[in-house]
Amino acid sequence: MVNIGPLRNAKTYLKAGALAMLVSAATCIKKPALTKDVIEFSHPQAAMLIKKLEAGDRHCATIYLNGEAERLITKKEMREYKKVPQSILDTLKTLPDTMEVYYQVYKGKADQYIQKQLKKKNNLLTVGHGNTGRGYISLAGGRKAKEGDYISQYSADSLFNQALNQKDSILRGNISKKAYKRLKDNEKDAILSYLYNVNETLLKKHNDSRAIPESFFECIERGNKEIAQAKFNVMPSAKAVRTGLAKRNLIQMLVYGNGQIYKNEHAINNFHDMLDIIAQKPDAKRRLEEICKIVEQYGVNKKNLEKTKLEISEYLSK
């Protein structure tokens, strides 16, 4: 005798499975996979370096998308979106098309200190990887992102890529074609990073009363790498933000020198000056470790970097 019970159950399971497949297919037809635009950076290594230095990820949120990613979401509109928990983000190797990173427009503390020192209104806003604007951030199509608003990762990367290309144009405009072609990738990336955070007029100044009268661009033009490395030394008038810029200067110096500080009096003095500023902080060790980590992630000569680490340790132990 045939046991009919299992057969009935099997048919039920098959029907349920078929129904699930139909529902799934219908869902896929109604809600096709979302696609997100991605920016291809003109200077990818320089972009990676600057992202590390700007740390724009501190002011971002990853959200679930209900449709195609909006370029701009106001502070009020963001309340309608659900943020992706960090516990889920930690399990992802790549971000699916159903999620998007948004960067918030904010007033940077360092910018506020500097603006206060210059006796200007603290209305300089920042978004993403160090893109700034007075009162608002200008976006494509004439749209304006104000304080507290969010812009998509695509918009942030677009602004960033435009700024990088502008800095590259400034570099090309201040040195000859021959000098530009002579630059190694690490040297150019360090210079672009420097230009990204320092006004070009400061790098054009020639001053006969200084120990190094040549301007930064003059040193680059002449191929004087040792002296150029000593020129990564611009400091703001606001003392409260000097530690952060000393850290940045050290990173740029090491990227420019492919992991080493050139054996030049001026370069070594600048190296020590930056170390002295950082050494005054109680978390100096952590900051120095971060410097070496970022330089290592960029990809400099390992032997050079190990030697520089030893030099740092020996100098600070005196």
Side-chain angles (χ1 to χ4, degrees), residues 33-37 68-69 97:
L34 299 172
T35 56
K36 296 184 293 186
D37 296 322
E68 293 296 328
D97 288 336

Side-chain angles (χ1 to χ4, degrees), residues 229 254 259-264 267-268 271-272 275 288 292 303-318:
Q229 194 177 47
L254 289 172
Q260 68 175 318
I261 300 297
Y262 290 113
K263 299 305 176 186
N264 170 275
I268 293 172
F271 176 53
H272 291 167
L275 286 177
L288 291 169
C292 294
K303 288 185 179 179
N304 287 344
L305 184 57
E306 288 303 316
K307 189 176 180 180
T308 302
K309 288 180 182 179
L310 183 59
E311 291 173 357
I312 291 173
S313 180
E314 290 177 349
Y315 178 74
L316 295 179
S317 64
K318 293 179 180 179

Side-chain angles (χ1 to χ4, degrees), residues 15 20 63-64 71-72 151 158 160 165 176 185 193 199 222 235 264 279 282 294 306:
K15 286 181 181 178
I63 64 170
Y64 291 104
R71 297 286 186 253
L72 170 64
I151 66 171
S158 295
F160 185 29
N165 289 333
S176 64
D185 289 341
S193 176
N199 191 303
R222 296 174 186 179
M235 279 283 117
N264 170 275
I294 291 173
E306 288 303 316

Side-chain angles (χ1 to χ4, degrees), residues 46 49-50 53-54 164 167 170-171 186-200 202-204 210 215-217 220 227-236 245-246 248-253 255-256 270 274:
L49 175 62
I50 295 170
L53 297 174
E54 294 294 339
L164 261 179
K167 302 310 177 186
I170 291 171
L171 175 59
N186 60 291
E187 294 168 349
K188 184 173 70 173
D189 292 340
I191 294 168
L192 291 178
S193 176
Y194 198 34
L195 273 168
Y196 196 80
N197 200 49
V198 175
N199 191 303
E200 64 181 286
L202 294 175
L203 307 185
K204 292 180 180 180
R210 292 186 176 179
S215 71
F216 179 78
F217 288 125
I220 300 298
I227 300 298
Q229 194 177 47
K231 286 284 188 175
F232 288 93
N233 62 354
V234 171
M235 279 283 117
L245 286 177
R248 186 173 187 133
N249 283 341
L250 278 171
I251 291 170
Q252 290 164 164
M253 288 174 71
V255 169
Y256 181 83
N270 186 36
M274 297 302 123

